[in-house]
Coordinates of all heavy atoms in Angstrom, one line a residue:
A78 N -15.0 -4.0 -19.0 CA -14.5 -5.1 -18.2 C -13.2 -4.6 -17.5 O -12.5 -3.7 -18.0 CB -14.1 -6.2 -19.2
K79 N -12.9 -5.3 -16.4 CA -11.7 -5.0 -15.7 C -10.9 -6.3 -15.5 O -11.4 -7.3 -15.2 CB -12.0 -4.4 -14.3 CG -12.7 -3.0 -14.4 CD -11.7 -1.9 -14.7 CE -12.5 -0.6 -14.7 NZ -11.7 0.4 -15.5
Y80 N -9.5 -6.1 -15.6 CA -8.6 -7.2 -15.3 C -7.5 -6.7 -14.4 O -7.3 -5.5 -14.4 CB -8.0 -7.7 -16.7 CG -9.1 -8.2 -17.6 CD1 -9.8 -7.3 -18.4 CD2 -9.3 -9.6 -17.7 CE1 -10.7 -7.8 -19.3 CE2 -10.3 -10.1 -18.6 CZ -11.0 -9.2 -19.4 OH -12.0 -9.6 -20.2
C81 N -7.0 -7.6 -13.7 CA -6.0 -7.2 -12.6 C -5.0 -8.2 -12.4 O -5.2 -9.4 -12.5 CB -6.8 -7.0 -11.3 SG -5.8 -6.5 -9.9
W82 N -3.8 -7.8 -12.1 CA -2.7 -8.7 -11.6 C -1.8 -7.9 -10.6 O -1.9 -6.6 -10.5 CB -1.9 -9.3 -12.7 CG -1.0 -8.3 -13.4 CD1 -1.4 -7.3 -14.3 CD2 0.5 -8.3 -13.4 NE1 -0.3 -6.7 -14.7 CE2 0.9 -7.2 -14.2 CE3 1.4 -9.0 -12.7 CZ2 2.2 -6.9 -14.4 CZ3 2.8 -8.6 -12.9 CH2 3.1 -7.6 -13.7
V83 N -1.0 -8.6 -9.8 CA -0.1 -7.9 -8.9 C 1.3 -8.1 -9.3 O 1.7 -9.2 -9.6 CB -0.3 -8.6 -7.5 CG1 0.7 -8.0 -6.5 CG2 -1.7 -8.4 -6.9
D84 N 2.0 -7.0 -9.4 CA 3.5 -7.1 -9.7 C 4.2 -7.5 -8.4 O 4.4 -6.7 -7.5 CB 4.0 -5.7 -10.1 CG 5.4 -5.8 -10.6 OD1 6.1 -6.8 -10.3 OD2 5.9 -4.9 -11.3
K85 N 4.6 -8.8 -8.3 CA 5.2 -9.3 -7.1 C 6.6 -8.8 -6.9 O 7.2 -8.9 -5.8 CB 5.3 -10.8 -7.2 CG 3.9 -11.5 -7.1 CD 4.0 -13.0 -6.9 CE 2.7 -13.6 -7.0 NZ 2.7 -15.0 -6.5
D86 N 7.2 -8.2 -8.0 CA 8.6 -7.6 -7.8 C 8.5 -6.4 -6.9 O 9.6 -6.0 -6.3 CB 9.1 -7.2 -9.2 CG 9.5 -8.4 -10.0 OD1 9.7 -9.5 -9.4 OD2 9.7 -8.3 -11.2
T87 N 7.4 -5.7 -6.8 CA 7.3 -4.5 -6.0 C 6.4 -4.7 -4.8 O 6.5 -3.8 -3.9 CB 6.8 -3.3 -6.9 OG1 5.6 -3.6 -7.5 CG2 7.8 -3.0 -8.0
C88 N 5.6 -5.7 -4.8 CA 4.8 -6.0 -3.6 C 5.7 -6.2 -2.4 O 6.7 -6.9 -2.4 CB 3.9 -7.2 -3.8 SG 3.0 -7.8 -2.3
I89 N 5.3 -5.5 -1.2 CA 6.0 -5.6 0.0 C 5.2 -6.4 1.1 O 5.5 -6.3 2.2 CB 6.4 -4.3 0.6 CG1 5.2 -3.4 0.8 CG2 7.4 -3.6 -0.4 CD1 5.5 -2.1 1.5
S90 N 4.2 -7.2 0.6 CA 3.4 -8.0 1.5 C 2.8 -7.2 2.6 O 2.7 -7.7 3.7 CB 4.3 -9.1 2.1 OG 5.0 -9.8 1.1
C91 N 2.3 -6.0 2.3 CA 1.8 -5.2 3.4 C 0.4 -5.8 3.8 O 0.0 -5.5 4.9 CB 1.6 -3.8 2.9 SG 0.1 -3.4 1.9
G92 N -0.3 -6.5 2.9 CA -1.5 -7.2 3.3 C -2.8 -6.3 3.2 O -3.9 -6.8 3.5
A93 N -2.6 -5.1 2.7 CA -3.8 -4.3 2.6 C -4.8 -4.8 1.5 O -6.0 -4.7 1.7 CB -3.4 -2.8 2.2
C94 N -4.3 -5.3 0.4 CA -5.2 -5.7 -0.7 C -6.1 -6.8 -0.3 O -7.3 -6.8 -0.5 CB -4.4 -6.0 -1.9 SG -3.1 -7.2 -1.7
G95 N -5.5 -7.8 0.4 CA -6.3 -9.0 0.8 C -7.3 -8.6 1.8 O -8.4 -9.2 1.9
A96 N -7.0 -7.6 2.7 CA -7.9 -7.2 3.7 C -9.1 -6.4 3.1 O -10.2 -6.5 3.5 CB -7.2 -6.3 4.7
T97 N -8.7 -5.7 2.0 CA -9.7 -4.8 1.3 C -10.6 -5.6 0.4 O -11.8 -5.4 0.3 CB -9.0 -3.7 0.5 OG1 -8.2 -3.0 1.4 CG2 -10.0 -2.8 -0.2
A98 N -10.0 -6.6 -0.3 CA -10.7 -7.3 -1.3 C -10.4 -8.8 -1.3 O -9.7 -9.3 -2.2 CB -10.4 -6.7 -2.7
P99 N -10.8 -9.5 -0.2 CA -10.5 -10.9 -0.1 C -11.0 -11.8 -1.2 O -10.4 -12.9 -1.3 CB -11.1 -11.2 1.3 CG -12.2 -10.2 1.5 CD -11.7 -9.0 0.8
D100 N -12.0 -11.4 -1.9 CA -12.4 -12.2 -3.0 C -11.5 -12.2 -4.2 O -11.5 -13.0 -5.1 CB -13.8 -11.7 -3.5 CG -14.9 -11.9 -2.5 OD1 -14.8 -12.9 -1.7 OD2 -15.9 -11.1 -2.5
I101 N -10.6 -11.1 -4.3 CA -9.8 -11.0 -5.4 C -8.3 -11.4 -5.1 O -7.7 -12.0 -5.9 CB -9.8 -9.5 -5.9 CG1 -11.2 -9.1 -6.2 CG2 -8.9 -9.3 -7.1 CD1 -11.3 -7.6 -6.6
Y102 N -7.8 -11.0 -3.9 CA -6.4 -11.3 -3.6 C -6.2 -12.3 -2.5 O -6.9 -12.4 -1.5 CB -5.8 -9.9 -3.2 CG -6.0 -8.8 -4.1 CD1 -7.0 -7.9 -3.9 CD2 -5.3 -8.7 -5.3 CE1 -7.3 -6.9 -4.8 CE2 -5.5 -7.7 -6.2 CZ -6.6 -6.8 -5.9 OH -6.8 -5.8 -6.8
D103 N -5.1 -13.0 -2.7 CA -4.6 -13.9 -1.6 C -3.1 -13.8 -1.6 O -2.6 -13.0 -2.4 CB -5.1 -15.3 -1.8 CG -5.1 -16.1 -0.5 OD1 -4.6 -15.6 0.5 OD2 -5.7 -17.2 -0.5
Y104 N -2.4 -14.6 -0.8 CA -1.0 -14.5 -0.8 C -0.3 -15.8 -1.0 O -0.8 -16.9 -0.7 CB -0.6 -14.0 0.6 CG -1.3 -12.7 0.9 CD1 -2.5 -12.7 1.7 CD2 -0.8 -11.5 0.4 CE1 -3.2 -11.5 1.9 CE2 -1.5 -10.3 0.6 CZ -2.7 -10.3 1.4 OH -3.4 -9.1 1.6
D105 N 0.9 -15.7 -1.7 CA 1.6 -16.9 -2.0 C 2.4 -17.4 -0.8 O 2.3 -16.8 0.3 CB 2.4 -16.8 -3.3 CG 3.6 -15.8 -3.1 OD1 3.9 -15.4 -1.9 OD2 4.1 -15.4 -4.1
D106 N 3.2 -18.4 -0.9 CA 4.0 -18.9 0.2 C 5.0 -17.9 0.8 O 5.4 -18.0 2.0 CB 4.8 -20.1 -0.2 CG 3.9 -21.3 -0.6 OD1 2.7 -21.3 -0.2 OD2 4.4 -22.3 -1.3
E107 N 5.3 -16.9 0.0 CA 6.3 -15.9 0.5 C 5.5 -14.7 1.0 O 6.1 -13.7 1.4 CB 7.2 -15.5 -0.6 CG 8.1 -16.6 -1.1 CD 9.0 -16.3 -2.3 OE1 9.0 -15.1 -2.7 OE2 9.6 -17.2 -2.8
G108 N 4.2 -14.7 1.0 CA 3.4 -13.6 1.5 C 3.2 -12.5 0.5 O 2.6 -11.5 0.8
L109 N 3.6 -12.8 -0.7 CA 3.3 -11.8 -1.8 C 1.9 -11.9 -2.3 O 1.4 -13.1 -2.5 CB 4.3 -12.0 -2.9 CG 5.8 -11.8 -2.5 CD1 6.7 -12.2 -3.7 CD2 6.1 -10.4 -2.1
A110 N 1.3 -10.8 -2.6 CA -0.1 -10.9 -3.1 C -0.2 -11.4 -4.5 O 0.7 -11.2 -5.3 CB -0.7 -9.5 -3.0
E111 N -1.4 -12.0 -4.8 CA -1.6 -12.4 -6.1 C -3.1 -12.4 -6.3 O -3.9 -12.6 -5.4 CB -1.0 -13.8 -6.4 CG -1.5 -14.9 -5.4 CD -0.7 -16.2 -5.6 OE1 0.3 -16.2 -6.3 OE2 -1.1 -17.2 -5.0
V112 N -3.5 -12.3 -7.6 CA -5.0 -12.3 -7.9 C -5.4 -13.8 -8.0 O -4.8 -14.6 -8.8 CB -5.2 -11.6 -9.3 CG1 -6.7 -11.8 -9.7 CG2 -5.0 -10.1 -9.1
V113 N -6.4 -14.1 -7.2 CA -6.8 -15.5 -7.2 C -8.3 -15.6 -7.6 O -8.8 -16.7 -7.7 CB -6.7 -16.1 -5.7 CG1 -5.3 -16.2 -5.3 CG2 -7.6 -15.3 -4.7
F114 N -8.9 -14.5 -8.0 CA -10.3 -14.5 -8.4 C -10.5 -15.5 -9.5 O -9.9 -15.5 -10.6 CB -10.8 -13.2 -8.8 CG -12.2 -13.2 -9.2 CD1 -13.2 -13.2 -8.2 CD2 -12.6 -13.2 -10.5 CE1 -14.5 -13.3 -8.5 CE2 -14.0 -13.2 -10.8 CZ -14.9 -13.3 -9.8
D115 N -11.5 -16.5 -9.3 CA -11.9 -17.4 -10.3 C -10.7 -18.2 -10.9 O -10.7 -18.4 -12.1 CB -12.7 -16.7 -11.4 CG -13.6 -17.7 -12.2 OD1 -13.8 -18.9 -11.7 OD2 -14.0 -17.4 -13.3
G116 N -9.7 -18.5 -10.1 CA -8.6 -19.2 -10.6 C -7.6 -18.5 -11.5 O -6.9 -19.1 -12.3
D117 N -7.6 -17.2 -11.4 CA -6.8 -16.4 -12.3 C -5.3 -16.7 -12.2 O -4.5 -16.5 -13.2 CB -7.0 -14.9 -12.1 CG -6.3 -14.1 -13.1 OD1 -6.7 -14.1 -14.3 OD2 -5.3 -13.4 -12.8
A118 N -4.8 -17.0 -11.0 CA -3.4 -17.4 -10.7 C -2.5 -16.2 -11.1 O -1.4 -16.4 -11.6 CB -3.0 -18.6 -11.5
N119 N -3.0 -15.0 -10.9 CA -2.2 -13.7 -11.1 C -1.8 -13.5 -12.6 O -0.8 -12.9 -12.8 CB -1.0 -13.7 -10.2 CG -0.6 -12.3 -9.9 OD1 -1.4 -11.4 -9.7 ND2 0.7 -12.1 -9.9
Q120 N -2.6 -14.1 -13.5 CA -2.3 -13.9 -14.9 C -2.9 -12.6 -15.5 O -2.5 -12.2 -16.6 CB -2.7 -15.1 -15.7 CG -2.0 -16.4 -15.3 CD -0.5 -16.2 -15.5 OE1 0.0 -16.1 -16.6 NE2 0.2 -16.2 -14.4
G121 N -3.9 -12.1 -14.8 CA -4.6 -10.9 -15.3 C -5.5 -11.2 -16.5 O -5.7 -10.3 -17.3
V122 N -6.0 -12.4 -16.6 CA -6.8 -12.7 -17.7 C -8.2 -13.0 -17.4 O -9.1 -13.3 -18.3 CB -6.2 -14.0 -18.5 CG1 -4.8 -13.6 -19.0 CG2 -6.1 -15.2 -17.6
T123 N -8.6 -12.9 -16.1 CA -9.9 -13.3 -15.7 C -10.7 -12.0 -15.5 O -10.3 -11.1 -14.7 CB -9.9 -14.1 -14.3 OG1 -9.1 -15.2 -14.5 CG2 -11.3 -14.5 -13.9
E124 N -11.9 -11.9 -16.1 CA -12.7 -10.7 -16.0 C -13.2 -10.5 -14.5 O -13.8 -11.5 -14.0 CB -13.8 -10.7 -17.0 CG -14.6 -9.4 -17.1 CD -15.6 -9.4 -18.2 OE1 -15.4 -10.2 -19.2 OE2 -16.5 -8.6 -18.2
I125 N -12.9 -9.4 -13.9 CA -13.4 -9.1 -12.6 C -14.9 -8.6 -12.7 O -15.1 -7.6 -13.4 CB -12.6 -8.1 -11.9 CG1 -11.1 -8.5 -11.9 CG2 -13.1 -7.8 -10.4 CD1 -10.7 -9.6 -11.0
P126 N -15.8 -9.2 -12.0 CA -17.2 -8.7 -12.2 C -17.5 -7.3 -11.6 O -16.8 -6.9 -10.7 CB -18.0 -9.8 -11.5 CG -17.1 -10.4 -10.5 CD -15.7 -10.3 -11.1
E127 N -18.5 -6.7 -12.2 CA -18.7 -5.3 -11.8 C -19.0 -5.2 -10.3 O -18.6 -4.1 -9.7 CB -20.0 -4.8 -12.5 CG -19.9 -3.3 -12.8 CD -21.0 -2.9 -13.8 OE1 -21.3 -3.7 -14.7 OE2 -21.5 -1.8 -13.7
G128 N -19.6 -6.2 -9.7 CA -19.8 -6.1 -8.2 C -18.6 -6.0 -7.4 O -18.7 -5.6 -6.2
L129 N -17.4 -6.3 -8.0 CA -16.2 -6.2 -7.2 C -15.4 -4.9 -7.6 O -14.2 -4.8 -7.1 CB -15.3 -7.4 -7.4 CG -15.9 -8.7 -6.7 CD1 -15.1 -9.9 -7.2 CD2 -15.9 -8.6 -5.2
F130 N -15.9 -4.1 -8.5 CA -15.1 -2.9 -8.9 C -14.7 -2.0 -7.8 O -13.6 -1.5 -7.8 CB -15.9 -2.1 -10.0 CG -15.9 -2.7 -11.4 CD1 -15.4 -4.0 -11.6 CD2 -16.5 -2.1 -12.4 CE1 -15.4 -4.6 -12.9 CE2 -16.4 -2.6 -13.7 CZ -15.9 -3.9 -13.9
D131 N -15.6 -1.8 -6.8 CA -15.3 -0.9 -5.7 C -14.1 -1.5 -4.9 O -13.2 -0.7 -4.6 CB -16.5 -0.7 -4.8 CG -17.5 0.3 -5.4 OD1 -17.2 0.9 -6.4 OD2 -18.6 0.4 -4.9
D132 N -14.2 -2.8 -4.6 CA -13.1 -3.4 -3.9 C -11.8 -3.3 -4.7 O -10.8 -3.1 -4.1 CB -13.4 -4.9 -3.7 CG -14.5 -5.1 -2.5 OD1 -14.8 -4.1 -1.9 OD2 -14.8 -6.3 -2.3
L133 N -11.9 -3.5 -6.0 CA -10.8 -3.5 -6.8 C -10.1 -2.1 -6.8 O -8.9 -2.0 -6.6 CB -11.2 -3.8 -8.3 CG -10.2 -4.0 -9.4 CD1 -9.3 -5.2 -9.1 CD2 -10.9 -4.1 -10.7
Q134 N -10.9 -1.1 -6.9 CA -10.4 0.3 -6.9 C -9.8 0.6 -5.5 O -8.7 1.2 -5.4 CB -11.5 1.3 -7.3 CG -11.0 2.7 -7.6 CD -10.0 2.6 -8.8 OE1 -10.4 2.1 -9.9 NE2 -8.9 3.2 -8.7
D135 N -10.5 0.2 -4.5 CA -10.0 0.5 -3.1 C -8.7 -0.1 -2.9 O -7.8 0.5 -2.3 CB -11.0 0.1 -2.1 CG -12.3 0.9 -2.0 OD1 -12.3 2.0 -2.6 OD2 -13.3 0.5 -1.4
A136 N -8.6 -1.4 -3.3 CA -7.3 -2.1 -3.1 C -6.2 -1.5 -3.9 O -5.1 -1.3 -3.4 CB -7.5 -3.6 -3.5
T137 N -6.5 -1.1 -5.1 CA -5.5 -0.4 -5.9 C -5.0 0.9 -5.3 O -3.8 1.2 -5.3 CB -6.0 -0.2 -7.4 OG1 -6.5 -1.4 -7.9 CG2 -5.0 0.3 -8.3
D138 N -6.0 1.7 -4.9 CA -5.7 3.0 -4.3 C -4.9 2.8 -3.0 O -4.1 3.6 -2.6 CB -6.9 3.8 -4.0 CG -7.6 4.2 -5.3 OD1 -7.0 4.2 -6.3 OD2 -8.8 4.6 -5.2
G139 N -5.2 1.7 -2.3 CA -4.6 1.5 -1.0 C -3.2 0.8 -1.0 O -2.5 0.8 0.0
C140 N -2.8 0.3 -2.1 CA -1.5 -0.4 -2.1 C -0.4 0.7 -2.1 O -0.3 1.6 -2.9 CB -1.3 -1.2 -3.4 SG 0.3 -1.9 -3.6
P141 N 0.5 0.6 -1.1 CA 1.5 1.6 -0.9 C 2.6 1.6 -1.9 O 3.4 2.6 -2.0 CB 2.1 1.2 0.5 CG 1.9 -0.2 0.7 CD 0.5 -0.5 0.0
T142 N 2.7 0.5 -2.7 CA 3.8 0.5 -3.7 C 3.2 0.4 -5.1 O 4.0 0.2 -6.1 CB 4.6 -0.8 -3.5 OG1 3.8 -2.0 -3.5 CG2 5.3 -0.8 -2.1
D143 N 2.0 0.7 -5.3 CA 1.3 0.7 -6.6 C 1.6 -0.6 -7.4 O 1.9 -0.6 -8.6 CB 1.8 1.9 -7.5 CG 1.3 3.2 -6.9 OD1 0.2 3.2 -6.4 OD2 2.0 4.2 -7.1
S144 N 1.5 -1.7 -6.7 CA 1.8 -3.0 -7.3 C 0.6 -3.6 -7.9 O 0.8 -4.6 -8.7 CB 2.3 -3.9 -6.2 OG 3.6 -3.5 -5.7
I145 N -0.6 -3.1 -7.7 CA -1.8 -3.7 -8.3 C -2.1 -3.0 -9.6 O -2.3 -1.8 -9.7 CB -3.0 -3.5 -7.3 CG1 -2.6 -4.2 -6.0 CG2 -4.2 -4.0 -7.9 CD1 -3.7 -4.1 -4.9
K146 N -2.1 -3.8 -10.6 CA -2.2 -3.3 -12.0 C -3.6 -3.6 -12.5 O -4.1 -4.8 -12.4 CB -1.2 -3.9 -12.9 CG 0.2 -3.9 -12.4 CD 0.7 -2.5 -12.1 CE 2.2 -2.5 -11.7 NZ 2.7 -1.2 -11.3
I147 N -4.3 -2.6 -13.0 CA -5.7 -2.8 -13.6 C -5.7 -2.3 -15.0 O -5.1 -1.3 -15.4 CB -6.7 -2.0 -12.7 CG1 -6.8 -2.5 -11.3 CG2 -8.1 -2.0 -13.3 CD1 -7.7 -1.7 -10.4
A148 N -6.5 -3.0 -15.8 CA -6.7 -2.5 -17.2 C -8.1 -3.0 -17.7 O -8.7 -3.8 -17.0 CB -5.6 -3.1 -18.1
D149 N -8.5 -2.5 -18.8 CA -9.8 -2.8 -19.3 C -9.8 -4.0 -20.2 O -10.8 -4.5 -20.7 CB -10.4 -1.6 -20.1 CG -10.6 -0.4 -19.2 OD1 -10.8 -0.6 -18.0 OD2 -10.6 0.7 -19.8
S150 N -8.6 -4.5 -20.5 CA -8.5 -5.7 -21.4 C -7.5 -6.7 -20.7 O -6.7 -6.2 -19.8 CB -8.0 -5.3 -22.8 OG -6.8 -4.6 -22.7
P151 N -7.5 -7.9 -21.1 CA -6.6 -8.9 -20.4 C -5.1 -8.5 -20.5 O -4.7 -8.0 -21.6 CB -6.9 -10.2 -21.1 CG -8.3 -10.0 -21.7 CD -8.4 -8.6 -22.1
F152 N -4.4 -8.8 -19.5 CA -3.0 -8.5 -19.5 C -2.1 -9.4 -20.3 O -1.1 -9.1 -20.9 CB -2.4 -8.5 -18.1 CG -2.8 -7.2 -17.3 CD1 -3.9 -7.1 -16.6 CD2 -1.9 -6.1 -17.5 CE1 -4.2 -6.0 -15.9 CE2 -2.3 -4.9 -16.8 CZ -3.4 -4.9 -16.0
R153 N -2.5 -10.7 -20.4 CA -1.7 -11.7 -21.1 C -2.6 -12.4 -22.1 O -3.8 -12.4 -22.0 CB -1.1 -12.6 -20.1 CG -0.2 -12.0 -19.1 CD 0.2 -12.9 -18.0 NE 0.4 -12.3 -16.8 CZ 1.5 -11.7 -16.4 NH1 2.5 -11.6 -17.2 NH2 1.6 -11.1 -15.2
I154 N -2.0 -13.1 -23.0 CA -2.8 -14.0 -23.9 C -3.4 -15.0 -23.0 O -2.7 -15.6 -22.1 CB -1.8 -14.7 -24.9 CG1 -1.0 -13.7 -25.6 CG2 -2.6 -15.6 -25.8 CD1 -1.8 -12.8 -26.6
A155 N -4.7 -15.2 -23.1 CA -5.4 -16.2 -22.3 C -4.7 -17.6 -22.3 O -4.4 -18.1 -23.4 CB -6.8 -16.3 -22.6
V156 N -4.5 -18.2 -21.2 CA -3.9 -19.5 -21.1 C -4.9 -20.5 -20.6 O -5.9 -20.1 -19.9 CB -2.7 -19.5 -20.3 CG1 -1.6 -18.7 -20.9 CG2 -3.0 -18.9 -18.9
E157 N -4.7 -21.7 -20.8 CA -5.5 -22.8 -20.2 C -5.4 -22.7 -18.7 O -4.3 -22.6 -18.2 CB -5.1 -24.1 -20.7 CG -5.4 -24.4 -22.2 CD -6.8 -24.6 -22.5 OE1 -7.5 -25.3 -21.7 OE2 -7.3 -24.1 -23.5
K158 N -6.6 -22.8 -18.1 CA -6.5 -22.7 -16.6 C -6.8 -24.1 -16.0 O -7.4 -24.9 -16.6 CB -7.6 -21.8 -16.1 CG -7.2 -20.3 -16.3 CD -8.1 -19.4 -15.5 CE -9.4 -19.1 -16.2 NZ -10.1 -18.0 -15.5
Ligands
F3S218 FE1 1.4 -6.1 -1.8 FE2 0.3 -3.9 -2.3 FE3 -1.1 -6.0 -1.6 S1 2.2 -4.1 -1.3 S2 0.2 -7.1 -0.3 S3 0.0 -5.7 -3.5 S4 -1.5 -3.9 -1.0

């Protein structure tokens, strides 16, 4: 399984991730990227399906500030969505 979130402290709103993987990333009011897949709200607790792994990897590789974090387990204690 793969989980993902964006570190907004280092995101520079370059826009590459949303262009590469629009199903996973969108932008908040300040233009900073966040994971929106299946209502994740950038918590890193929503399992990204295998069909999106290529997009996920491409976006991570393409982020100029390494702000996209990926792991095999959830990043946070699962919260009510
Ligand atoms: Fe930000 Fe990186 Fe996306 S800088 S907009 S997280 S590609």
Side-chain angles (χ1 to χ4, degrees):
K79 295 286 183 198
Y80 298 83
C81 181
W82 70 290
V83 175
D84 186 346
K85 294 191 184 192
D86 288 342
T87 55
C88 171
I89 56 170
S90 307
C91 83
C94 54
T97 302
D100 293 330
I101 304 174
Y102 308 98
D103 203 350
Y104 304 96
D105 67 14
D106 292 343
E107 296 175 9
L109 299 172
E111 55 189 10
V112 172
V113 297
F114 181 77
D115 199 21
D117 185 68
N119 207 40
Q120 297 303 294
V122 296
T123 305
E124 190 171 338
I125 307 290
E127 210 169 328
L129 289 173
F130 281 7
D131 284 350
D132 283 357
L133 185 65
Q134 194 62 51
D135 287 348
T137 305
D138 292 345
C140 177
T142 58
D143 290 332
S144 298
I145 299 176
K146 312 301 182 186
I147 295 180
D149 296 335
S150 53
F152 280 92
R153 301 172 210 276
I154 307 292
V156 291
E157 290 289 319
K158 285 196 274 188

